[in-house]
Amino acid sequence: VAVRAGFRLCFSAALVFGLALPVPGAFALDLDLPTALRELKADLRWDPLSLTGTLAIGRHQVVFRAYDEQTSSLAVIDGREVLREPGPYLSAGGLLFPPAFISALGAALQNMPGAAGGDFRIAAVIVDPGHGGKDSGAVGTHVIDGKKITLKEKDITLQVALDLHARLVAAYPDKRVLLTRKADTFPRLEDRVEVANSVPLNEKEAIVFISIHANASFNKSARGYEVWYLSPEYRRTVIDRKDYSESEEVFPILNAMMEEEYTTESIMMARAIMTRFDQAIGARSPSRGIKAEEWFVVRNARMPSVLVELGFITNPEDARLLADQEYLRNLSEALYKGTVDFVATFERSGGFTTDR
Ligand SMILES: [Zn+2]
């Protein structure tokens, strides 16, 4: 935890001089909302009508009601433990947090079962643009605005992947963000998986793997986007789907990945991405939903993995969208937001499948 020097100083002074209660003149010690949330590693949900706040800290929920600095309120942790230290209060329209409340809350959480360890993290994000080089993936030729255009899946996946990669690199200076290919090359399947396996992990770290594809079907009217999470069940589903165009490519990836344990996180991540896809492109292309959504309880997940199908290259409406640079940026932005949502939730919860 990076404790700011200023805070440390004030905090120590508060302890030394016994300023446990907010008294007039002591307000300068109290923390503003952003600082308090940073210290607590918390997210706040605030209901302005009831003046009630809910802090999400790790897997804990802390509910408090804020009045003014003269009226102290109690905070309740996980609906059972009451914290008697005077809590956050409203001052000049903003929430202020007494340092004594923050330290008492931290101490209380430490002593609770399933205390927020908080040090589970995503160490790396791997972006996998499907196909490449001699393998074009799905190909479709359409007349778009009077021009005959041939779309190749390998180009679309690379463009979306490069943009996603750049956004993630900027967002996560402390994580490794890797691409399985950077250009129109053909990494073998083993190479793609090898990239993932090359990242050293300690036991509290995980990798996220995002494979990007576009769909094809003999049925020209089939269209829309899909998010697959990669579960053991997926292999069977793919093989059973006779019209699935990509079993040859996808099967070995899945096979290699099945040696990992990952499924619960993969489902959470698929949902996060699907939510962002719905927001970004749902009005223009239909959602075909999350696939393989059986729930498996798997321990020690190390590699939450999803595969997205951006749309159907074989469908005229989808092809028109996929030929549009702005639309591809919408897709990579949605993928980026979904990934960030997932990573934030994962790291805040200390890894979903632990202690389950
Ligand atoms: Zn593909």
Side-chain angles (χ1 to χ4, degrees):
V1 187
V3 180
R4 294 188 325 167
F7 170 68
R8 191 186 290 278
L9 192 67
C10 293
F11 191 36
S12 307
L15 288 179
V16 169
F17 296 111
L19 300 175
L21 294 169
V23 293
F27 302 146
L29 295 173
D30 295 337
L31 281 68
D32 65 9
L33 181 60
T35 309
L37 294 184
R38 209 158 48 237
E39 298 300 336
L40 290 167
K41 288 196 202 163
D43 280 342
L44 174 70
R45 204 168 64 237
W46 173 250
D47 175 8
L49 289 180
S50 63
L51 302 182
T52 301
T54 305
L55 293 163
I57 306 173
R59 277 157 290 173
H60 300 291
Q61 293 229 321
V62 182
V63 180
F64 64 89
R65 188 171 293 178
Y67 301 99
D68 55 48
E69 64 265 37
Q70 309 300 337
T71 316
S72 62
S73 68
L74 302 177
V76 181
I77 305 172
D78 294 341
R80 50 198 164 100
E81 184 148 326
V82 177
L83 197 68
R84 298 184 181 282
E85 205 65 49
Y89 59 90
L90 287 165
S91 176
L95 269 179
L96 289 180
F97 289 69
F101 171 80
I102 289 183
S103 62
L105 178 54
L109 290 176
Q110 282 296 321
N111 294 327
M112 293 190 70
D119 49 355
F120 272 84
R121 66 186 289 268
I122 302 288
V125 183
I126 297 173
V127 180
D128 175 45
H131 311 274
K134 66 183 181 184
D135 171 19
S136 294
V139 178
T141 300
H142 302 272
V143 177
I144 298 173
D145 296 332
K147 270 183 274 178
K148 197 173 187 182
I149 290 176
T150 296
L151 290 174
K152 292 179 182 168
E153 179 182 358
K154 67 172 183 178
D155 300 331
I156 292 168
T157 61
L158 182 61
Q159 198 171 331
V160 170
L162 289 175
D163 189 24
L164 172 62
H165 177 261
R167 290 171 191 267
L168 291 170
V169 165
Y172 293 128
D174 59 332
K175 299 187 196 304
R176 296 181 69 180
V177 185
L178 305 170
L179 281 163
T180 56
R181 67 178 173 100
K182 298 182 173 75
D184 187 16
T185 56
F186 179 70
R188 292 171 307 146
L189 297 162
E190 311 88 84
D191 299 336
R192 293 184 202 259
V193 174
E194 180 52 33
V195 170
N197 291 338
S198 72
V199 179
L201 294 179
N202 71 37
E203 19 177 90
K204 292 195 162 184
E205 292 180 325
I207 303 180
V208 163
F209 189 94
I210 308 163
S211 194
I212 302 174
H213 291 260
N215 234 328
S217 173
F218 293 116
N219 175 6
K220 295 274 184 278
S221 65
R223 65 176 301 212
Y225 53 95
E226 304 171 343
V227 181
W228 292 77
Y229 70 82
L230 305 184
S231 75
E233 194 69 9
Y234 184 49
R235 171 181 147 192
R236 202 196 67 203
T237 310
V238 169
I239 292 170
D240 285 350
R241 272 180 72 187
K242 296 202 169 40
D243 63 345
Y244 196 79
S245 58
E246 312 212 78
S247 343
E248 262 189 27
E249 184 203 6
V250 170
F251 175 74
I253 296 181
L254 300 175
N255 229 7
M257 285 187 160
M258 279 172 59
E259 290 158 28
E260 303 287 336
E261 305 166 299
Y262 43 82
T263 304
T264 312
E265 280 79 2
S266 299
I267 295 169
M268 305 295 289
M269 187 168 163
R271 287 184 175 148
I273 289 174
M274 183 51 95
T275 299
R276 293 297 190 168
F277 272 171
D278 291 344
Q279 290 169 0
I281 59 168
R284 288 172 282 176
S285 185
S287 167
R288 298 165 61 88
I290 293 172
K291 305 290 178 135
E293 197 175 8
E294 297 84 11
W295 190 272
F296 297 86
V297 176
V298 182
R299 287 184 177 278
N300 302 322
R302 305 298 292 277
M303 196 188 295
S305 311
V306 298
L307 186 153
V308 298
E309 297 279 5
L310 303 175
F312 279 74
I313 277 182
T314 44
N315 173 267
E317 288 94 344
D318 274 9
R320 170 184 288 273
L321 293 170
L322 293 170
D324 175 2
Q325 299 302 303
E326 184 61 31
Y327 189 76
L328 296 188
R329 274 193 296 277
N330 294 159
L331 287 169
S332 52
E333 187 179 15
L335 268 172
Y336 163 74
K337 287 179 176 173
T339 305
V340 167
D341 292 344
F342 169 78
V343 169
T345 311
F346 179 90
E347 294 188 337
R348 204 169 55 234
S349 66
F352 299 121
T353 51
T354 57
D355 288 3
R356 189 168 289 168

